[in-house]
């Protein structure tokens, strides 16, 4: 070890470039990255998928994927160039002087080894303690990482702990040897928002206590703004902007940063989405969506239907104003091995207003997706009623159910899984039409082309397979498929949660402008309150199968009644960020 | 047996190993998004969504990719060429040799490999190369019958179990469990005991012996596809179950069946030749790969080529079939 | 726990009963005349009266259901029936053959685990890419080689070429070596394939990155973290591997002219000796069931995620990953 003056930075990266070998060629993941982290400083690298932020972080500890290669540059840490360091030197630094908090706590602990042993292993590896003192130190580290009952949990195995608890274990592993630098690689992106916040708070406290430097990798500008002393924005393998949160968020210079801030739902104080598309031209609307609901090829009766609906004078519960009503929905699941029943959904009632968006918000296990499946009739209710367009469809079967499906369509959460990989985009979009035997071949081809146009994809995608499209493009295809039958209600099951923020904003914009143009009603499922604020008119907050609060979006966000809603709202990162709304 | 049974066990695991997926799609799809970003980077453009699609273009792209794959994996190409040659020799052995497999020249008996007799001659002076070429017909026909029976019965059972589920699944899989408890070679031997000797009986016995494994793999494959989100999407689009089955489930399960067929083909060749070696298959003087080696066994000390060289042919064929199976498998995984 | 064991024992007996039923259906109920088979393959001039006598002698004139129940009853008393050509009890024939087979099977299994497991470890451990690829190319070859041919090559090289081991017979340890190697080849190759694939997958798991990030060396990462997790799936196919060894003895013992279960099987099939064939099938099923029972009992000790609970008939052991994240 070289003696260091206090002024010397902990980490200096100069002109780093990392390449990946892929089956089709070499990809520059990181092109030219130079950065430094001072002692006790917290630096956040923000970027979207493929920006090179994680690759940069992994290059520091030299734990890159086998296909990656450092093309040039240096990474100096404590007087050693890590790029050219020997394996022995690296081993002495990893865990001892640089701690790593990984992305996904649920898979980052060895499943067959006890928690305590895994934490103590760091000390054993570096010869800092013998077996017995290491075990005691592990319990202490777990306590410092904020794990309740550390003595008990140290004797348990990873699968017995929740995701949040496991992340605390990983934090304990990172801090136990008292490192000079902690690298946290998206430490909370796999966790629920409320837990996210606790974990990040705790990392902050620990770093402040010990004067440890932190390199935080995140895709969420809000998190970076809340937590870091300095923000570095990366895009396409290069640093595009660098500065304090006030500088970066308050006066972004680079167009990419500006776009990112505009797209970030959590920073969007106006609570609205940018309608990236103009309202569809009238002739397109009439031509593509002029047909009857559920049967696009009929010439519509122009005086009726969602486009011309005038809700004034109708009562709240009437079909003219609400398209879907759920009354006291209950769904029980039998627990395996005769363990009784669990309420996945308990007594949930709500109504989806016609031409508007009703959002169900909740964390994992809250029952929001199950509720949506019940409303869609993909699952059967244990008790309760579902009314669609004023008609009781709770027990609809066979033909009736198929007729219902024509008017309610779904967009699934994960566009990487929801499209049949064997079919062309054209076949995927016309699949619902074929399923109902609507139109002839030419009509269906025309409609597929029109729909692709409506969701703003180039017509060249029609002959491609899903694998050739990016995630955002695939989600547009899924939306086009959902629109094919001219439905009245779309159930959107976390339609943007698999996408990067800038793509998220585009898809949300598309959905909002479609609603404006076509008078569609949405049932929108999400875990992200910030997204809900942008798109929904009414919102229901779910927790453990119960609906704890329902109301207009403005009211709920301004004056939450339930403490759980308040906790969720507080957990939205970026609340205190000094954002100047551009434009 | 080896490769397929292992695969069966593995797929059994895979089908129950579900449910470890976590809720956060952002985390689970991060690799997908990274691939997107890498692909768009490669295309050389700063991509704004929606942009020009990223991967190589349509059909020409697929052909080009296939050729590129061939260049990258010369072993797979060699394996394919070998299998094609062997298959051709079963229908047109005359293309490869002009000699007679049954008539020998006594004066030339037990001579080693030479330009005149590439693989040497046997105890009656018959050309071993010719006998191997003609022998491929019996061995491969038996193997193909076995694969046909195994795949037909096994995949229908697996399909029923996987797609219908409920009690059908329970019944089929319990039977498969019991059949798997009996090593497939012993099961084949039991069947031969009843059916009697001969190439066709050996083929039937080997085919029936593989039914349990095939049905198990097929079932887990169908369940994998059936649980896919795009199948739920197909139901939500209003598709009837029959259309879901034929339009969405079957095409996506077909690739793995091909993989399995290639693998079973190799396994069946091994089983058929082993049973022939033991004397339950083709009877002399008919040339058959296993019985060629059985005959050569009597001349182990004097004529090494009689056992060694036909064995090399068997091993190469099985190796090629397995290699093709693996190549199809990894290609299929890439597409998924 | 004891209730669990009792339950699993019951299930094991259930599988054995089902295996008996399957073998009975195959051997007695398939179209064909068991009596003619009983008369022997060479008996071409038997009269109808002689066949009737045979049927009466072996109870074949009774309805199938009665035969089935009678055989099952005998089986419960430990009576596997009588070999037709020799007239000796099947149980005795099998019992006599076990020790010799056990010798080569045990050594074969040991070799297979050591060499196969070692190969998989070495292939994933080496930093030399070329060497790793080369090692990984070996198991597919081992799986593709016909066992009987490999046995003959061994004899050619190590009995006739360099006279190290006897080519045939059952005298002392030297005679065990070549048959054991023959048995170990496909088994070891299977183990190597399974384990190396499992190791490669495991080494890509995020928790392996966690171990590297702790500063662990390659030895600790591979042996302490990867191997144990990777070996668990391989353990689930123990039953199949043992079954493979057992069926490998048919060819091996024939080539090396060794007495044992394989030879008994080969002879019984050649003589269409149905009771012996059925006895062997039941024995193999019993070995499979007992092996799986042992694996099932040991597995929860090695994988804390598996909680002992009610299970239906034992399948090819399945590692249910119960580590869901809620």
């Amino acid at each position: 070890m070289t003696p260091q003056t206090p002024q010397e930075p902990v980490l200096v990266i100069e002109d780093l470039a990392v390449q990946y070998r892929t089956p089709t060629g070499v990809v520059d993941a990181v092109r030219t990255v130079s950065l430094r982290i001072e002692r006790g400083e917290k630096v956040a690298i923000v970027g979207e998928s493929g920006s090179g932020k994680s690759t940069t972080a992994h290059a520091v500890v030299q734990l890159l994927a086998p296909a990656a290669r450092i093309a040039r540059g240096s990474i100096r840490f404590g007087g050693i160039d890590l790029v050219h360091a020997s394996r022995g030197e690296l081993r002495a630094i990893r865990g001892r002087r640089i701690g790593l908090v990984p992305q996904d706590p649920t898979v980052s602990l060895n499943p067959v080894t006890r928690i305590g042993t895994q934490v103590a292993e760091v000390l054993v590896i570096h010869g800092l303690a013998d077996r017995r003192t290491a075990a005691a130190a592990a319990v202490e580290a777990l306590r410092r990482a904020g794990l309740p009952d550390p003595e008990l949990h140290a004797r348990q195995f990873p699968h017995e702990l929740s995701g949040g608890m496991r992340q605390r274990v990983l934090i304990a592993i990172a801090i136990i040897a008292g490192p000079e630098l902690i690298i946290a690689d998206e430490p909370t992106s796999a966790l629920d928002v409320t837990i996210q916040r606790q974990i990040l708070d705790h990392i902050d406290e620990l770093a402040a206590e010990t004067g440890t430097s932190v390199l935080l990798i995140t895709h969420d500008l809000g998190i970076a703004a809340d937590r870091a002393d300095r923000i570095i924005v990366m895009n396409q393998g290069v640093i595009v902007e660098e500065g304090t949160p006030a500088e970066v968020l308050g006066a972004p210079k680079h167009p990419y940063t500006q776009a990112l801030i505009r797209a970030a739902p959590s920073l969007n104080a106006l609570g609205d989405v940018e309608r990236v598309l103009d309202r569809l031209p009238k002739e397109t609307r009439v031509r593509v969506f002029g047909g009857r609901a559920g049967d696009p090829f009929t010439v519509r009766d122009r005086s009726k239907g969602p486009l011309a609906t005038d809700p004034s004078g109708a009562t709240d519960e009437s079909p003219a104003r609400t398209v879907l009503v759920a009354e006291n929905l209950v769904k029980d699941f039998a627990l395996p091995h005769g363990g009784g029943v669990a309420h996945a959904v308990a007594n949930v009632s709500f109504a989806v207003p016609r031409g508007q968006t009703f959002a169900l918000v909740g964390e994992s296990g809250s029952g929001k997706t199950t509720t949506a499946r019940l409303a869609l009739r993909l699952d059967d209710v244990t008790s309760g009623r579902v009314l669609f367009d004023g008609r009781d469809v709770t027990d609809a079967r066979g033909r009736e159910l198929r007729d219902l499906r024509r008017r309610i369509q779904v967009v699934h959460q994960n566009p990487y899984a929801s499209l049949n990989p064997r079919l062309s985009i054209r076949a995927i979009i016309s699949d619902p039409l074929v399923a109902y035997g609507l139109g002839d071949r030419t009509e269906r081809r025309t409609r597929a082309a029109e729909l692709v146009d409506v969701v703003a994809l180039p017509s060249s995608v029609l002959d491609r397979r899903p694998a050739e499209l990016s995630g955002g493009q695939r989600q547009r295809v899924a939306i086009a498929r959902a629109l094919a039958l001219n439905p009245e209600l779309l159930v959107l099951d976390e339609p943007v949660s698999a996408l990067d923020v800038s793509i998220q904003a585009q898809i949300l914009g598309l959905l909002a402008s479609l609603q404006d143009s076509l008078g569609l009603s949405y049932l929108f499922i999400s875990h992200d309150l910030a997204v809900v604020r942008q798109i929904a008119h009414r919102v229901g907050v779910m927790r453990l199968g119960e609906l704890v609060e329902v109301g207009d979006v403005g009211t709920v966000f301004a004056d939450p009644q339930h403490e759980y809603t308040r906790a969720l709202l507080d957990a939205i990162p970026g609340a205190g960020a000094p954002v100047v709304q551009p434009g | 047996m080896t490769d397929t049974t292992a695969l069966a066990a593995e797929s059994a695991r895979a089908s129950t190993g579900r449910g470890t997926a976590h809720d956060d799609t952002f985390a689970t799809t991060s690799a997908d998004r990274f691939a997107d970003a890498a692909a768009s980077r490669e295309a050389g453009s700063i991509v704004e969504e929606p942009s020009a699609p990223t991967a190589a273009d349509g059909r020409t792209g697929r052909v080009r990719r296939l050729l590129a794959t061939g260049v990258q994996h010369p072993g797979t190409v060699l394996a394919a060429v070998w299998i094609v040659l062997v298959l051709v020799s079963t229908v047109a052995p005359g293309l490869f040799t002009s000699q007679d497999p049954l008539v020998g020249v006594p004066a030339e008996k037990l001579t080693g490999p030479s330009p005149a007799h590439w693989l040497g001659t046997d105890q009656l002076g018959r050309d071993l190369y010719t006998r191997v070429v003609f022998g491929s017909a019996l061995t491969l026909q038996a193997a193909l019958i076995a694969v046909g029976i195994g795949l037909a019965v096994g995949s229908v059972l697996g399909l029923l179990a996987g797609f219908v589920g409920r009690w059908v699944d329970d019944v089929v899989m319990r039977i498969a469990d019991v059949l798997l408890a009996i090593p497939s070679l012993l099961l084949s031997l039991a069947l031969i005991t009843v059916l009697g000797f001969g190439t066709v009986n050996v083929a039937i016995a080997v085919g029936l012996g593989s039914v349990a494994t095939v049905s198990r793999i097929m079932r887990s494959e169908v369940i994998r596809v059936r649980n896919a989100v795009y199948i739920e999407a197909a139901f939500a689009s209003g598709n009837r179950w029959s259309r879901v089955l034929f339009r969405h489930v079957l095409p996506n399960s077909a690739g793995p069946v091909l993989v399995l067929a290639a693998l079973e083909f190799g396994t069946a060749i091994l089983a058929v030749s082993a049973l022939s070696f033991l004397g339950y298959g083709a009877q002399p003087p008919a040339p058959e790969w296993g019985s060629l080696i059985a005959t050569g066994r009597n001349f182990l000390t004097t004529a090494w080529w009689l056992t060694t060289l036909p064995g090399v042919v068997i091993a190469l064929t099985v190796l090629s079939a397995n290699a093709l199976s693996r190549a199809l498998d990894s290609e299929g995984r890439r597409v998924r | 726990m004891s209730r669990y064991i009792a339950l699993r024992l019951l299930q094991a007996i259930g599988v054995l009963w089902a295996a008996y039923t399957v073998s009975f259906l195959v051997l007695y109920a398939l179209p064909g005349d068991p009596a003619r088979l009983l008369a022997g393959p060479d008996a071409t001039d038997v009269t109808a009266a002689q066949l009737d006598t045979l049927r009466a002698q072996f109870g074949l004139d009774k309805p199938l259901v009665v035969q089935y129940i009678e055989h099952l009853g005998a089986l419960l008393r430990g009576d596997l029936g009588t070999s037709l050509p020799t007239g000796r009890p099947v149980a005795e024939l099998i019992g006599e053959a076990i020790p010799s087979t056990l010798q080569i099977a045990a050594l074969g299994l040991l070799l297979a685990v050591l060499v196969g497991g070692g190969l998989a470890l070495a292939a994933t451990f080496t930093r030399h890419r070329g060497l790793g690829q080369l090692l990984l190319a070996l198991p597919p070859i081992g799986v593709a080689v016909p066992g009987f041919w490999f046995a003959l090559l061994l004899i050619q090289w190590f009995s006739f070429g360099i006279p190290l081991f006897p080519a045939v017979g059952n005298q002392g340890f030297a005679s065990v070596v070549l048959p054991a190697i023959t048995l170990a080849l496909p088994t070891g190759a299977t183990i190597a394939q399974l384990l190396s694939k499992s190791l490669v997958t495991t080494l890509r798991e995020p928790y392996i990155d966690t171990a590297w990030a702790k500063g662990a060396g390659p030895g600790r990462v591979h042996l302490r973290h990867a191997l144990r997790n990777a070996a668990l799936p391989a353990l689930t196919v123990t039953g199949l591997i043992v079954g493979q060894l057992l069926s490998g003895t048919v060819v091996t013992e024939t080539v090396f002219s060794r007495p044992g279960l394989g030879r008994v099987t080969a002879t019984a099939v050649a003589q269409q000796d149905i009771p012996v064939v059925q006895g062997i099938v039941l024995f193999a099923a019993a070995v499979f069931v007992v092996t799986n029972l042992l694996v099932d009992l040991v597995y929860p000790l090695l994988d804390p995620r598996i909680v002992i609970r009610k299970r239906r008939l034992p399948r090819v052991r399945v590692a249910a990953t119960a580590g869901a994240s809620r």
Side-chain angles (χ1 to χ4, degrees), chain C residues 196-249:
Chain C
S196 60
K197 201 169 170 190
S198 179
L199 270 170
V200 166
T201 322
T202 307
L203 283 167
R204 276 192 224 121
E205 293 283 344
Y207 58 80
I208 297 297
D209 275 344
T210 306
W212 288 117
K214 288 174 182 173
R220 179 178 277 268
V221 169
H222 280 82
L223 296 175
R224 285 224 182 170
H225 289 278
L227 182 60
R228 183 156 165 214
N229 282 289
L232 287 172
L235 197 63
T236 60
V237 295
T238 314
L240 290 174
I241 283 175
V242 170
Q244 194 187 15
L245 273 176
L246 207 59
S247 56
T249 59

Side-chain angles (χ1 to χ4, degrees), chain A residues 223-272:
Chain A
I223 288 181
D226 285 351
R227 311 279 165 183
D229 300 325
R230 203 145 50 81
I231 295 179
I232 292 171
V233 182
M234 280 186 76
N235 182 33
Q236 305 270 327
V238 292
I239 293 177
V240 295
E241 183 132 9
E242 186 173 353
T244 63
E247 288 164 2
V248 171
L249 293 170
K253 293 184 204 67
H254 195 277
Y256 176 78
T257 318
Q258 291 163 3
L260 203 60
I261 293 171
R262 267 202 309 280
S266 58
L267 299 175
N268 197 327
L270 297 181
D272 204 357

Side-chain angles (χ1 to χ4, degrees), chain A residues 21-237:
Chain A
R21 274 177 286 112
T22 69
T24 43
V26 173
V27 174
D28 296 301
V30 174
R31 288 192 274 201
T32 43
V33 164
S34 302
L35 63 87
R36 55 172 54 210
I37 300 174
E38 307 292 337
R39 256 164 219 290
E41 194 187 24
K42 285 185 285 182
V43 176
I45 303 184
V46 184
E48 297 184 286
S49 304
S51 63
K53 57 184 193 309
S54 281
T55 306
T56 306
H58 284 123
V60 173
V61 274
Q62 296 285 298
L63 286 177
L64 292 163
R69 189 179 67 87
I70 295 186
R72 60 162 193 280
S74 67
I75 301 171
R76 269 182 289 116
F77 175 84
I80 302 171
D81 183 359
L82 297 178
V83 175
H84 298 107
S86 72
R87 285 167 206 280
E89 284 173 319
L90 284 174
R91 282 213 295 276
I93 288 172
R94 287 180 196 147
R96 170 92 171 82
R97 299 179 61 196
I98 301 180
L100 181 72
V101 182
Q103 193 161 20
D104 188 348
T106 55
V107 289
S108 293
L109 288 167
N110 188 339
V112 299
T113 312
R114 287 179 204 278
I115 298 292
T117 318
Q118 296 195 51
V119 177
E121 193 184 9
V122 183
L123 300 180
V124 176
I125 288 170
H126 294 284
L128 296 174
D130 61 41
R131 191 158 297 217
R132 190 170 324 143
T133 53
V139 170
E140 183 50 32
L142 286 169
R143 191 191 314 281
R144 285 181 60 214
L147 189 72
D149 279 335
E151 290 89 355
L152 168 72
H153 292 310
R155 289 193 301 273
Q156 287 185 315
F157 290 96
H159 71 276
E160 298 173 83
L161 272 59
S162 71
M165 288 159 90
R166 286 189 235 183
Q167 193 58 293
R168 290 183 188 278
V169 173
L170 285 154
I171 291 172
I173 290 174
I175 60 163
I176 189 169
E180 293 142 66
L181 173 67
I182 293 175
I183 298 176
D185 178 14
E186 301 253 21
T188 55
S189 67
L191 301 174
D192 276 328
V193 271
T194 45
I195 296 168
Q196 202 168 48
R197 181 176 177 186
Q198 296 165 10
I199 295 283
L200 289 170
D201 281 348
H202 208 87
I203 293 180
D204 280 357
E205 279 165 31
L206 284 173
E209 248 171 55
T210 54
T212 310
S213 311
V214 176
L215 177 60
L216 176 69
I217 312 295
T218 178
H219 65 277
D220 190 332
L221 253 181
I223 288 181
D226 285 351
R227 311 279 165 183
D229 300 325
R230 203 145 50 81
I231 295 179
I232 292 171
V233 182
M234 280 186 76
N235 182 33
Q236 305 270 327

